[in-house]
Every structure is written in C-alpha cells, then in structure tokens.
Amino acid sequence: MDGEQLMSGELDNSFNALMVSGEGESGQAHHEGTGTTLLGWKDLPMELLLRILSMAGDDRMVIVGSGVCTGWRDTLEWGVTNLSLSWCQAHMNDLVMSLAQKFTKLQVLSLRQIKPQLEDSAVEAVANNCHDLRELDLSRSFRLSDRSLYALAHGCPHLTRLNISGCSNFSDAALAYLSSQCKNLKCLNLCGCVRAVSDRALQAIACNCGQLQSLNLGWCDSVTDKGVTSLASGCPELRALDLCGCVLITDESVVALANGCPHLRSLGLYYCQNITDRAMYSLAANSRRVRSKGRSWDAAARKNAGAGADGLASLNISQCTALTPPAVQAVCDSFPALHTCPERHSLIISGCLSLTSVHCACAHHPHRHGRAILSNHAY
C-alpha cells in the first residue's frame, strides 16, 4: 500500500541517520549493549525496536512494522500489549480479524468507532486469540449482537475494563452471562445499552463483580430501585456511578448507595425527578457516619491525598426539581471535596431554579441566557 511504502521509506531514512551517527571505523553501526553489528532495521534488538515504536505514538507504525521482516513480526507480536485502532475509518472489521491472530499478547485494545464497522466476527477473533486482554473499548459498535458478549465471556475472562456504551443490541441475558465469567471487572460503561441493562442484569453484576469501582448506566431507563439496591449491597467498592436518565429510580436507590458504598466519589442523578430531600439527607448523614468510623481511607491514604479526599467529589442533580435548598445545602456542608474543584463544577444543579440559594463555591448554575456561570459568593 502507498501508506506502508511511505512509512517504510521513513524507517529506512531514519536507520541511515542512525548508521551515520553510530558508525565506527568499519563504517558499520554497532549496538553497544550487545556488541552486535547493525546492518539494517531487522538487526535492531527487540527492546530497542519496541522502544522506538512506542515513542512514535502512532499504532499504524506498529502494524507497518510487523510486515518489515519475520524478526520484527515476531518481536511485535510478542511485545505489543497496547493497541488502538480507533483511527481506522474503513475496513476495521477486516483489520481486526487479521491482527487478532498476530497480536495475541494484547492487554489493552481500543476499537472505538465514529461510524459502525465492527461485526461479531471481529470480536470473536479477538476473544479467540487475545486471552490476556484486560481493557476493551467497543463503544458505538451498533452492529454487534449477543454473540460478541458470549465470545468475550469465554475468551477474555481477565477483563477489568469494558466499554460497550451505545451497543443497543445486547440483551440482559448476555450481559448477565458476561458478568458470571468476567468477575474481575472494575470499570463498566453501559451507557445507552437499553436492552442489556435491566434489574436482572444488575443483580447478576452485583452477585459476580464485587470489585466493581465505576459503572455508567446513563439513559438505561428500565432500571429501578431493585437493580440499584442490589448494586449497593454487592459492589461496596463503587467509586463512580452514573444513573443519569434512569427515570424510574427513587430515594430508595440513593439511600441504599449511601449505606452500602462508603467510597462513592461521583454520583450522577441527572433527570431523576423522583429523587427528593430524603435522598440528600441520607447522603449527608452517611458522610458523617463514614468519617466518624474512618471507613473511607486509612490515615496514610488521607495524608497523601490531602484534606477532603474521601466522600463525594462530584454530584449531578440537574433537573431533580423536587429538591429544596436546605437538603442540598446539607450535602454541600457534609462533603468538603465539593468545594475544592477549581477547574470544574463538581456540584451540577442546572435546571433547578429553586436551588439558587445554595451556598457552594463550586455550584454550577445556568445563566439566565442559558450559559453556565460560576460564582464565588452565595447565590
């Protein structure tokens, strides 16, 4: 291909420069560490080759490099553990099926797409060959079906991070099965997976994935208190939970999270209009209980992280129109980290005109003309 020829030419030019700078009396370049003579790119030691390609910052160079010679191919197939193909705008499915058989030691793989390209055959190829995979991004893979989740469940049991946001064809049965096989999951993005995310699926996740720390359930509008309370009891290590657009949940969900997830740092409740003051007071009360028992952080962690390192640092209650200022104020007063976010708004209350009196330096309000403003004084 023209692109490959261009990159190969660049490699040749770079090697010639290396030869000039490192040549000895014999006119040949030497590698000081091994004492070997470098006659061409194919003679580079494995460690140096991986170092050069990692500094290139473009995974396309890795793919081209794997075709230079047998030695390079073997080195890259064994040495490359992190690969992103998100740059691929066409024929990604064929590319993944080809590369999955070569790069079997992958631990991190990003297949994020602008337009849907991936099909189940590509994910099955990854699952059949990349058994050490830890992190996988399949976001916006609209063409995938349950076949992909079942393949990952069987072939990639060591997954710790999985992003399948926007994959609207998955079923809750397939997601539940995945959780039963991938029990090391710590970060799971299910935003927009409207068919997959049900209370039954969340109960399976709570039962199987006790190490889960981050979960995005945004706009999964069939979720109810039953599913969230299961998460609160089964996933006590949760740090971040996005329930934005989960319109069926009530205070029961927030109360359960406040009681069961003492490490919770980020909570998204945008457009959860059944949330009332009871939920806010529960968060505030449990903040005091956690601090008094010292359950959030040990003394060393607190010292290293600084003051206010425990408790909520981000709370989105936009469009939660049933809330009143005293209840939200109680949350602000209970979580110092909500006041220490100079570069971002950590308390988001857009669309709640009744909360304009909340005294929080990092409270985020809509401007009367529709623009958000940040004030350093009481509203």
Side-chain angles (χ1 to χ4, degrees), residues 209-232:
C209 305
Q211 301 178 56
L212 198 64
Q213 296 182 6
S214 176
L215 179 61
N216 189 334
L217 301 177
W219 305 105
C220 297
D221 54 11
S222 65
V223 172
T224 73
D225 291 332
K226 185 176 182 180
V228 179
T229 54
S230 296
L231 290 172

Side-chain angles (χ1 to χ4, degrees), residues 148-159:
S148 291
L149 290 190
Y150 285 119
L152 291 173
H154 289 292
C156 304
H158 305 299
L159 281 174

Side-chain angles (χ1 to χ4, degrees), residues 186-197:
K186 292 185 177 181
C187 298
L188 184 58
N189 191 336
L190 303 173
C191 181
C193 298
V194 291
R195 290 187 59 234
V197 179

